[in-house]
């Protein structure tokens, strides 16, 4: 009963403090159909639930188990996935009728293919749920024809399509973990298709060798001729918590043929152990979600095989988090060759009582051992020790993503260093590509693969082709594992810290490291640009040397216009920073917005050059240069940089009528510009977005991008006319700023008071065009600004003119 892990668990439970986890942000995000990552999709109207994937050895053919069908997809072409052949395999009307008569939903009665394995060079073995009456069959892999009448699938495939199972064929024999009855409460690990003098084997199910398991995966260890099963189940050894779930690894030997009297036609080599994904003094991530095998590096011993698993937690403190833990085959082997717990058959409780060892449980070759020895292994199959993760720590924790599937690859980077790269599928439909480094995990990128969360998915990695296949309810998506050409400068290529990619100085391109013999610029561990690219960050002086002002993009403005300069982020990990030659950006005059853009009011003092720099990993790069110039009064036409506002927001019905006549239409920009008095008292907000697709986005900017999408003009803030005041203000601003602030605030207060009554229902022609999203965004931006800006004269004018924010709480009813 006394159990060190029990104690440590209690300690963990009591002393659990939400650990300080740093958020892992993907460096680059590729949203759906982004040009930086070309996805190939296969979907077909009458093909759905394409969730069981099997890749041919050469990686040219992908077999898909779908609903009522098996497909052969030709994936050898670069730009398309081609359907080669399709086998329809559905239950008959009568089967379906019986299924629904048994009380099952019609939508769950089709034949969902859940086992798809190569049997030999010519045939595939497939099993499906077949209207809650599982069937298996042999399929010719070229023609996709069924060769023999279907077998019964009991014990090989689940009845219920929502139950997870695992299956693997080795040497023509099928090893499965699934439930073997209609109700789903007889789990079994078994062997089928045994021939000659070997018999099919299964677990002895009288003793509760499995406790309500969820099967995750199985793996063949060629060196030991063992099959490992991974699953979660109720941990009976922890009897102090009701239904405490534990993750397990179980083993069986392929040479097993069962006992002669005891354990006849049953496994004599079954043993299981706990997989513990837990950091010190924390609650364990106890529920395994998926696991993948990383074979040893070339020439390394088989014991160096590592299993990478995704684990989540049963407890709400850790909900929404997932951890990745890795387990070495050596550690699993040494746990199985250690001591075993003892089951008290009356109470069904486990203890670690030391006893005389009659046999070594888990040992291969017990088939003609004595009855005594077999009885011993029959009762001692739970290893005393738990398998601990490599380095006794978690490989990676994500605080804000539920990972459901993973696949792992060893990547040879430039300079022949090896890195472990994980591809993790999130519940929300993204693939995260992460590299495990000494300093922790680094998420190189995220790629959106589907829009709607999908209930059942699968993930298959094709290393020779450099592709990942994702099977979902709706089809198959192919994702390239890397696209180095997306990074077009050496700093970008190095900052990505992608072991797949390196900078080739000869071709001046970011290229795949595996295809190149020459030495490449790459620093996966640290991302040090200066070393890898042989380049130096610009210093302020270098940027603004004497008489060396950069040209920049011209932005022409009118005085008192609110200018907003856009700065594309180099990545989601970069920080943006604005600079001007020879002057500081005082926070009184400039607003740094959350998306990295800069906002200020055009005055003689704020005209001039602006540089936006992005800093990442200690490296600075220039993202944008602007030259803000005052619009010449005689200038006939501005080259499309500013859009004078023509959307008055009258505050009363009378105001609306009055303004319709006096305000120029949008098309009359030119006329308006030649009459500066008309427009100069407008509050204008000019947004600039660089002519570049910004695929690097932060969580916040994702919403903002929606606002930007249709046009570059974001803010249409305007309000009642303050012509005289503004003229005065502009003059006074320069002469006597402090006095002005006081006056202005006073005036504004007066005005605001008289205008804050709800005024909904007077939309103008133009404001009609704005979607609710845009309006909401507009409010958001303005109210954010308000917080920082009230001490600034100009900014507070903006706030009030916009009539959007105010300390008096009428904001939501005020029209924009
Ligand atoms: C890689 O990125 C480049 C630049 O964004 C793009 O043109 C190309 O189509 C991408 N290739 C793939 C295979 O995604
Ligand atoms: C593969 O297995 C099937 C089914 O048992 C059998 O008909 C076929 O002859 C086998 N093919 C080879 C090459 O052994
Ligand atoms: C993760 O999963 C939990 C439970 O399954 C759910 O409550 C949570 O909203 C999910 N979080 C995300 C970010 O999808
Ligand atoms: C085990 O049984 C096999 C036949 O099943 C026999 O040939 C072999 O000698 C036996 N080994 C021992 C150690 O009894
Ligand atoms: C099959 O796919 C549909 C969506 O297309 C989904 O609602 C359903 O749950 C899936 N069924 C199974 C058994 O996965
Ligand atoms: C940006 O992407 C959109 C579609 O994603 C495309 O139509 C447009 O041409 C792209 N612009 C640039 C500058 O690449």
């Amino acid at each position: 009963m006394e159990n060190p892990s029990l104690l440590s668990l209690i300690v963990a439970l009591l002393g659990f403090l939400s650990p300080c986890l740093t958020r892992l942000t993907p460096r680059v995000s590729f949203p759906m159909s982004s040009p930086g990552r070309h996805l190939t999709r296969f979907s077909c109207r009458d093909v759905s639930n394409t969730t069981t994937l099997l890749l041919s050895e050469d990686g040219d053919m992908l077999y898909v188990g779908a609903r009522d069908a098996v497909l052969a997809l030709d994936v050898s072409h670069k730009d398309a996935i081609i359907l080669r052949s399709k086998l329809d395999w559905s239950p008959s009307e009568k089967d379906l009728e019986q299924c629904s008569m048994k009380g099952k939903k019609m939508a769950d009665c089709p034949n969902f293919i859940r086992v798809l394995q190569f049997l030999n060079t010519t045939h595939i073995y497939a099993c499906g749920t077949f209207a809650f009456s599982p069937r298996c069959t042999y399929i010719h892999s070229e023609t996709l024809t069924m060769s023999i009448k279907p077998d019964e699938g009991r014990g090989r495939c689940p009845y219920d399509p929502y139950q997870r199972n695992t299956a693997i064929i080795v040497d023509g024999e099928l090893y499965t973990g699934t439930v073997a009855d209609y109700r789903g409460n007889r789990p079994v690990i078994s062997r089928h298709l045994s021939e000659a003098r070997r018999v099919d084997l299964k677990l002895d199910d009288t003793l509760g060798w499995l406790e309500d398991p969820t099967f995750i995966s199985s793996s063949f260890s060629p060196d030991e001729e063992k099959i490992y099963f991974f699953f979660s189940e109720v941990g009976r050894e922890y009897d102090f918590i009701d239904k405490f779930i534990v993750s397990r690894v179980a083993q069986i030997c392929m040479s097993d043929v069962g006992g002669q009297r005891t354990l006849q036609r049953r496994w004599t080599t079954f043993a299981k152990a706990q997989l513990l994904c837990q950091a010190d003094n924390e609650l364990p991530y106890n529920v395994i979600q998926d696991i993948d095998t990383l074979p040893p590096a070339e020439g390394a011993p088989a014991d160096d095989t590592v299993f990478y698993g995704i684990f989540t937690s049963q407890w709400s403190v850790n909900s929404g988090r997932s951890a990745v833990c890795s387990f070495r085959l050596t550690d699993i082997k040494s746990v199985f060759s250690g001591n075993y717990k003892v089951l008290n058959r009356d109470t069904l409780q486990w203890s670690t009582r030391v006893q005389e060892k009659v046999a070594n449980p888990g040992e291969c070759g017990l088939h003609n051992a004595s009855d005594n020895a077999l009885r011993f292994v029959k009762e001692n199959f739970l290893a005393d020790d738990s398998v601990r993760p490599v380095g006794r720590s978690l490989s990676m924790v994500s605080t804000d993503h539920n990972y459901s599937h993973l696949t792992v690859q060893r990547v040879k980077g430039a300079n022949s260093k090896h890195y472990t790269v994980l591809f993790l599928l999130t519940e929300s439909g993204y693939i995260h590509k992460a590299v495990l480094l000494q300093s922790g995990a680094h998420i190189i990128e995220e790629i959106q693969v589907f829009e709607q969360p999908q209930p059942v998915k699968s993930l298959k990695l094709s290393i020779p082709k450099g592709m990942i296949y994702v099977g979902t309810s709706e089809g198959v998506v192919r994702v390239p594992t890397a696209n180095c050409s997306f990074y077009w400068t050496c700093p970008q290529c190095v900052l990505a810290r992608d072991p797949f990619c390196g900078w080739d100085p000869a071709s001046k391109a970011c290229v795949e490291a595996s295809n190149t013999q020459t030495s490449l610029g790459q620093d996966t561990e640290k991302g040090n640009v200066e070393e890898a690219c042989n380049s130096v960050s610009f210093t302020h002086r270098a940027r603004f040397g004497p008489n060396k002002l950069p040209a920049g993009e011209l932005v022409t403005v009118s005085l008192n216009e609110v200018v907003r300069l856009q700065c594309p982020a180099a990545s989601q990990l970069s920080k943006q920073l604005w600079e001007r030659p020879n002057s500081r950006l005082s926070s009184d005059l400039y607003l740094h917005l959350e998306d990295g853009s800069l906002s200020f009011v055009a005055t003689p003092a704020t005209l001039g050059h602006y540089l936006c720099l992005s800093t990442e990993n200690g490296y600075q790069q220039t993202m944008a240069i602007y030259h803000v110039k005052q619009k010449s009064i005689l200038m006939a036409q501005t080259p499309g940089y500013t859009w004078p506002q023509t959307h008055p927001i009258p505050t009363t019905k009378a105001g609306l009528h009055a303004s319709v006549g006096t305000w120029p239409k949008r098309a009359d920009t030119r006329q308006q510009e030649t009459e500066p008095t008309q427009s100069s008292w407008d509050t204008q907000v000019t947004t600039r977005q660089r002519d570049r697709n910004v695929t690097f986005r932060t969580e916040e900017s994702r919403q903002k991008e929606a606002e930007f999408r249709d046009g570059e003009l974001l803010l249409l803030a305007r309000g009642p006319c303050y012509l005289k005041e503004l003229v005065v203000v502009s003059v006074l601003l320069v002469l006597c700023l402090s006095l002005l602030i006081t006056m202005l605030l006073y005036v504004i207060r007066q005005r605001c008071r008289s205008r804050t009554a709800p005024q909904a229902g007077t939309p103008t022609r133009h404001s009609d065009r704005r979607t609710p999203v845009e309006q909401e965004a507009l409010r958001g931006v303005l109210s954010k600004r308000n917080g920082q800006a009230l001490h600034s004269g100009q900014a507070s004018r903006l706030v009030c003119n916009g009539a959007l924010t105010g300390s008096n709480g009428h904001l939501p009813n005020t029209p924009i």
Side-chain angles (χ1 to χ4, degrees):
M1 221 5 262
E2 272 315 302
N3 188 324
S5 40
L6 183 153
L7 271 177
S8 74
L9 192 75
I10 290 173
V11 168
L13 273 171
L14 296 176
F16 184 78
L17 286 167
S18 188
C20 225
L21 291 166
T22 44
R23 233 180 103 171
L24 284 175
T25 308
R27 183 175 177 273
V28 181
S29 179
F30 295 100
M32 201 68 132
S33 55
S34 141
R37 201 50 140 244
H38 188 70
L39 309 188
T40 318
R41 255 162 228 287
F42 171 83
S43 62
C44 189
R45 208 154 29 89
D46 56 345
V47 172
S48 62
N49 303 84
T50 48
T51 45
T52 308
L53 304 181
L54 175 69
L55 202 56
S56 70
E57 208 159 299
D58 57 8
D60 282 342
M61 197 66 95
L62 182 72
Y63 296 94
V64 180
R67 189 176 74 190
D68 290 335
V70 176
L71 318 174
L73 302 180
D74 182 348
V75 290
S76 63
H77 299 275
K78 233 179 168 174
D79 41 5
I81 298 179
I82 299 159
L83 177 63
R84 276 275 168 265
S85 36
K86 179 169 175 237
L87 164 72
D88 289 302
W89 183 22
S90 46
S92 68
E93 284 297 319
K94 206 167 134 243
D95 295 324
L96 291 174
E97 217 169 83
Q98 273 182 0
C99 175
S100 79
M101 257 164 53
K102 284 187 235 165
K104 298 295 174 188
K105 269 193 269 163
M106 216 43 186
D108 298 338
C109 284
N111 185 22
F112 294 94
I113 311 298
R114 301 303 296 276
V115 174
L116 199 62
Q117 290 280 314
F118 289 111
L119 180 71
N120 56 27
T121 50
T122 54
H123 283 77
I124 290 173
Y125 193 71
C127 305
T129 58
F130 212 87
F132 281 79
S133 166
R135 303 269 169 91
C136 295
T137 190
Y138 299 83
I139 298 170
H140 196 276
S141 43
E142 287 289 314
T143 58
L144 280 202
T145 47
M146 264 191 242
S147 53
I148 306 175
K149 260 190 79 180
D151 279 350
E152 212 221 331
R154 179 194 180 87
R156 309 174 189 198
C157 178
Y159 288 65
D160 182 333
Y162 294 98
Q163 237 145 17
R164 288 187 73 166
N165 67 306
T166 179
I168 185 169
I169 289 184
V170 183
D171 290 348
E173 289 175 307
L174 172 73
Y175 297 85
T176 62
T178 186
V179 287
D181 70 333
Y182 177 80
R183 284 211 199 85
N185 46 23
R186 268 198 50 216
V188 65
I189 286 176
S190 49
R191 183 172 74 201
H192 306 267
L193 312 180
S194 300
E195 280 174 352
R197 290 176 52 226
R198 283 163 69 86
V199 286
D200 285 355
L201 292 179
K202 57 182 183 181
L203 280 185
D204 193 85
D205 50 19
T206 55
L207 270 166
W209 280 10
L210 296 170
E211 300 280 358
D212 197 8
T214 302
F215 293 104
I216 301 297
S217 179
S218 44
S219 178
F220 166 51
S221 169
D223 195 50
E224 309 167 87
E225 302 213 310
K226 281 184 180 176
I227 310 280
Y228 289 102
F229 290 89
F230 298 92
F231 56 95
S232 60
E233 65 172 351
V234 175
R236 275 286 154 77
E237 69 267 38
Y238 299 98
D239 55 359
F240 64 98
I241 302 180
D242 198 32
K243 287 240 170 189
F244 175 51
I245 297 171
V246 295
S247 294
R248 302 271 196 221
V249 54
Q251 64 132 59
I252 47 103
C253 297
M254 289 169 61
S255 61
D256 201 340
V257 289
Q260 280 169 347
R261 283 177 299 274
T262 309
L263 291 177
Q264 248 184 47
R265 294 183 170 262
R266 301 288 185 270
W267 297 111
T268 61
T269 55
F270 175 83
K272 65 181 184 183
Q274 184 177 0
L275 280 179
L276 200 54
C277 183
Q278 182 179 28
D280 287 340
N281 305 320
E282 270 180 45
L283 279 178
Y285 290 87
N286 57 326
V287 189
I288 184 170
Q289 300 293 333
D290 195 19
I291 197 155
D292 194 28
T293 311
L294 182 66
E298 232 171 273
D303 279 4
D304 284 1
T305 304
V306 183
F307 301 96
Y308 283 87
I310 297 171
F311 293 78
T312 56
S313 170
Q314 171 177 14
W315 295 284
S316 57
V317 279
N318 275 345
S319 85
R321 289 184 177 173
S322 2
V324 175
C325 277
S326 56
F327 302 93
R328 242 190 236 114
L329 181 57
T330 343
D331 296 336
I332 293 175
K333 278 165 78 175
S334 78
V335 164
F336 279 133
S337 60
N339 288 327
Y340 280 75
K341 292 185 200 293
V342 183
L343 181 64
N344 181 327
R345 297 182 76 177
D346 302 325
T347 60
L348 283 181
Q349 288 202 332
W350 290 94
S351 67
T352 50
R353 174 166 47 91
V354 181
Q355 56 177 356
E356 195 198 339
K357 246 187 173 177
V358 183
N360 290 322
E363 196 179 51
C364 299
L366 283 178
H367 37 276
N368 45 9
S370 68
D371 284 343
N372 198 20
L374 289 177
R375 263 199 304 275
F376 184 84
V377 299
K378 187 176 167 182
E379 277 158 29
N380 299 267
F381 50 85
L382 177 59
D384 195 22
D385 248 348
S386 302
V387 184
R388 306 241 167 206
V390 175
R392 299 218 158 200
S393 61
L394 316 179
S395 302
M396 169 174 169
V397 182
S398 175
T399 52
D400 44 3
H401 293 283
N402 288 337
Y403 293 133
S404 65
H405 290 77
L406 93 168
T407 155
V408 58
Q409 178 179 2
R410 179 178 294 105
V411 178
K412 190 167 147 199
N415 320 318
S416 300
K417 279 195 202 152
H418 285 95
Y419 296 94
T420 303
V421 175
L422 302 174
F423 298 93
L424 300 143
L425 190 62
T426 72
E427 299 260 302
S428 50
Y430 283 82
I431 285 182
H432 283 190
K433 172 174 159 190
V435 58
L436 301 180
L437 303 170
Q438 235 126 55
S439 49
H442 163 64
I443 304 183
I444 300 162
E445 53 196 7
E446 65 172 5
I447 305 153
Q448 190 176 12
V449 288
F450 45 88
E451 255 155 52
Q452 297 299 319
Q454 306 274 326
V456 188
K457 315 152 271 252
S458 57
L459 202 58
K460 203 105 214 161
L461 172 67
S462 170
I463 292 178
K465 294 272 189 284
M467 293 290 174
I468 302 164
Y469 299 92
V470 186
T472 70
S473 295
E474 284 145 22
V476 177
V477 186
R478 180 171 71 185
V479 187
T481 52
N483 180 12
C484 301
S485 61
F486 176 76
Y487 306 108
W488 67 95
T489 64
C490 184
Q492 300 228 18
C493 185
V494 171
L495 286 172
R497 298 163 71 193
D498 187 337
F500 284 97
C501 301
W503 183 258
D504 181 10
S507 64
K508 290 203 174 355
C510 194
V511 297
E512 292 234 355
S514 62
N515 296 343
T516 318
Q517 307 303 322
T518 57
S519 117
L520 297 178
Q522 186 186 69
D523 183 3
T524 306
E525 198 63 53
K526 295 203 198 69
N528 186 331
V529 171
E530 300 185 9
E531 269 175 30
C533 294
N534 259 330
S535 77
V536 188
S537 274
F538 292 116
T539 62
H540 188 276
R541 183 162 302 180
R543 277 194 296 271
F544 301 115
N547 314 319
K548 223 185 97 192
L549 282 179
E553 270 183 62
L554 198 63
V555 181
T556 55
V557 298
S558 311
L559 286 187
N560 299 321
E561 192 180 315
V562 176
V563 183
R564 183 163 164 180
L565 301 178
Q566 211 62 39
C567 183
S571 85
Q572 296 190 148
L573 302 180
S574 68
K575 280 218 163 55
Q576 284 121 296
L577 172 90
W578 287 90
E579 276 189 6
R580 296 196 62 186
N582 313 320
S583 72
R584 225 167 45 85
L585 298 188
S586 105
S587 58
D588 292 347
L589 297 178
Y590 295 96
L591 274 170
H592 295 267
L593 302 184
E594 249 174 74
D595 64 349
S597 60
L598 184 75
S599 177
F600 56 89
V601 174
T603 65
T606 58
L607 296 176
H609 279 84
Y610 290 85
L611 240 88
C612 172
L613 306 168
S614 156
T615 310
E616 184 178 350
N617 249 345
Y619 181 79
Q620 274 194 353
Q621 50 188 327
T622 307
M623 301 308 293
I625 303 171
Y626 297 100
H627 186 187
V628 180
K629 255 178 101 171
Q630 188 180 358
K631 194 185 290 169
S632 140
I633 285 173
L634 295 174
M635 199 192 281
Q637 196 164 11
T638 45
Y641 285 131
T642 59
W643 286 271
Q645 297 311 296
T646 57
H647 317 148
I649 311 261
T651 50
T652 62
K653 266 227 156 87
L656 173 67
H657 293 309
S659 66
V660 168
T662 52
W663 286 71
K665 290 201 186 99
R666 194 185 162 95
D668 299 336
T669 353
R670 204 187 290 181
Q671 181 203 349
Q672 195 191 358
E673 278 160 2
T674 55
E675 298 168 69
T677 46
Q678 278 255 331
S679 59
S680 66
W681 38 261
D682 281 346
T683 301
Q684 292 189 4
V685 177
T686 308
T687 61
R688 297 279 306 113
Q689 197 168 22
R690 296 215 54 191
D691 185 24
R692 181 184 302 174
N693 272 332
V694 184
T695 42
F696 314 94
R697 304 184 308 166
T698 58
E699 217 56 68
E700 296 81 7
S701 73
R702 240 171 241 180
Q703 295 164 6
K704 297 235 177 80
E705 202 181 77
E707 306 149 16
F708 281 118
R709 208 161 286 146
D710 294 291
E712 308 207 318
L713 196 66
L714 171 65
L715 289 176
L716 301 169
R718 79 165 40 254
C721 312
Y722 291 101
L723 174 59
K724 278 185 191 139
E725 286 91 327
L726 278 174
V727 171
V728 171
V729 162
S730 337
V731 177
L732 286 187
L733 255 177
V734 182
L735 299 175
C736 180
L737 199 70
S738 55
L739 183 67
L740 178 76
I741 290 168
T742 327
M743 278 175 59
L744 197 66
L745 278 175
Y746 179 74
V747 173
I748 283 159
R749 263 177 96 94
Q750 297 302 307
R751 294 274 174 158
C752 281
R753 285 236 170 100
S754 60
R755 290 181 190 281
T756 42
Q759 295 154 350
T762 56
T764 67
R765 290 166 297 154
H766 302 285
S767 65
D768 279 343
R769 290 212 301 251
R770 241 173 284 143
T771 65
V773 175
E774 286 171 300
Q775 301 202 7
E776 199 53 49
L778 195 56
R779 272 180 210 136
V781 169
L782 278 181
S783 58
K784 253 177 235 150
R785 187 171 308 189
N786 187 30
Q788 313 159 18
L790 270 176
H791 56 285
S792 143
Q794 293 97 326
S796 62
R797 179 172 57 85
L798 167 72
V799 166
C800 189
N801 265 353
L804 292 172
T805 54
S807 50
N808 43 19
H810 288 275
L811 167 65
N813 292 326
T814 317
I816 303 160

